[in-house]
Amino acid sequence: MAPATPQPEILAAFEAAKGFMPVGEGLALYAAAAEAGALGLPLLEVGTYCGRSTILLADAAREAGTVAVTVDHHRGSEEQQPGWDYHDPETVDPEVGLMDTLPTFRRTLHKAGLEEYVVAVVGRSPQVAKVWGGKAGLVFIDGGHTDEHATNDYEGWAPHVAEGGLLVIHDVFPDPVDEWTGQAPYRIYLRALASGAFTEVSATDSLRVLRRTGPGI
Ligand code: SAH
Ligand code: MG
């Protein structure tokens, strides 16, 4: 079966949204989300930012009759802070002087017509993972890129991937030459494979899709 692809208006909304996901990886994420949606469980994202990738998970969730849950403290990762390469001054809340990507995220979803298929959780990934009770059909890890954050995301969320569900990791760079914010996502990808609980399904640029095929985490 050919991989599921988003409708042109969804793809257009994705391309118009602020964020850090190229189209090719977005299509791979969409295909994974459409497949995992068949499990009828929530599709969970760590790292909302302004909602670019959330659009794809939300549309796949809508098609499958489930929801996308997206987690972010909305204060930005290290490399997105003022003075760093990935900083966008438009994301700063002038009143408190800190980044706040929540308003832009809400506009993104509204414009895409997908608000009702998304549950947005504002909080730190490890704290949310601790209180998250159920299984997820898909977990997409696209949060902080330090080893501390990536490890917390893996340890907090990988156990919640349902049997047969998918674990998707962004910014996996096996060659240090390609790294832009380090290889922590690559290290958790290796750890997922070494756990014996996950089997690789596909690789599209820096996006890796793994299936939960066993216990072990
Ligand atoms: N998926 C987005 C990009 C995410 S950027 C897109 O498609 O464009 C990474 C995001 O992770 C940032 O918004 C940052 O605030 C968030 N983040 C980093 N560390 C986090 C943590 N420990 N808990 C929650 N969110 C975190
Ligand atoms: Mg990313």
Side-chain angles (χ1 to χ4, degrees), residues 14 18-21 45-54 71-80 99 101 123-126 140 142-145 149 153 170:
F14 168 80
K18 229 188 239 303
F20 299 103
M21 178 159 291
E45 169 176 70
V46 182
T48 316
Y49 192 62
C50 298
R52 187 171 163 103
S53 47
T54 316
V71 180
D72 201 309
H73 49 51
H74 286 281
R75 295 297 188 205
S77 295
E78 281 76 3
E79 73 280 4
Q80 296 161 353
M99 276 181 69
T101 48
R124 289 176 188 276
S125 166
F140 173 47
D142 194 19
H145 284 127
H149 288 131
D153 290 343
H170 195 218

Side-chain angles (χ1 to χ4, degrees), residues 17-49:
K18 229 188 239 303
F20 299 103
M21 178 159 291
V23 173
E25 293 176 336
L27 292 176
L29 176 64
Y30 186 85
E35 188 200 317
L39 295 171
L41 294 166
L43 308 176
L44 193 136
E45 169 176 70
V46 182
T48 316
Y49 192 62

